Amino acid sequence: MAEHMLRRELGARGLDQDILVKSAGIAPSARDGSLVSLDTRMALREDGIDIGDEATSIDLKRHPELLEEADLIIAMTDQQRSELNAKFPGAAGRPVYTLREFAGETGDIEDPYEKGDEVFAACRDEIKRLLPRIVDRIVAGG
């Protein structure tokens, strides 16, 4: 969700051509080409973002080059950040933050997977609340 919502926020500021946003899963269950969950698609659609029914995900284990190409890496949880630093050499020397941390807050954005549409909506709304500060900080140079 955060990837598509960040793209929209960047687009609203005319920055979508200047900043490339990519997302990849690090969970053991992450698979290249897996369809984005219906709950994710519905939560985004309710907020005016239609990624289509055929949208797929990326497995970071199969595409570690994404980290090597990144200027900034944002994880949803501190555990994910730790895992990125421990298991992916491409993250070494790159700034890795949690979404809340980069927005100037503490805490995690927990994965709403299999927790129902209300939890997905709450997660979406929390990401949406944080994104203006995220983009402000990116534009300011980090």
Side-chain angles (χ1 to χ4, degrees):
M1 282 193 290
E3 171 190 6
H4 298 287
M5 295 170 70
L6 178 55
R7 285 181 181 169
R8 179 178 62 188
E9 182 72 21
L10 291 167
R13 297 187 191 202
L15 299 169
D16 53 327
Q17 298 301 310
D18 301 320
I19 299 171
L20 178 63
V21 178
K22 291 192 177 185
S23 176
I26 64 170
S29 60
R31 298 288 182 269
D32 259 4
S34 294
L35 290 176
V36 173
S37 76
L38 178 60
D39 287 325
T40 298
R41 294 192 320 261
M42 288 175 55
L44 288 170
R45 206 172 287 145
E46 288 170 3
D47 199 43
I49 300 172
D50 187 349
I51 63 171
D53 293 337
E54 302 301 318
T56 58
S57 59
I58 296 172
D59 179 359
L60 189 59
K61 293 179 296 298
R62 295 184 55 84
H63 297 280
E65 72 278 2
L66 294 175
L67 293 172
E68 296 160 9
E69 298 166 357
D71 295 316
L72 172 66
I73 302 164
I74 297 180
M76 295 292 111
T77 67
D78 191 52
Q79 179 181 345
Q80 288 175 345
R81 176 180 48 190
S82 296
E83 209 172 307
L84 282 163
N85 285 319
K87 295 182 179 178
F88 294 92
R94 293 187 173 15
V96 182
Y97 297 91
T98 67
L99 188 75
R100 282 190 193 272
E101 178 184 25
F102 200 75
E105 296 185 7
T106 59
D108 293 336
I109 304 288
E110 294 296 338
D111 190 347
Y113 182 67
E114 293 187 336
K115 295 180 182 167
D117 57 344
E118 289 179 14
V119 175
F120 266 87
C123 180
R124 175 205 60 217
D125 293 345
E126 183 61 8
I127 293 168
K128 185 176 181 178
R129 181 184 72 79
L130 296 168
L131 284 179
R133 283 187 272 160
I134 299 289
V135 174
D136 288 345
R137 186 166 174 192
I138 290 170
V139 170

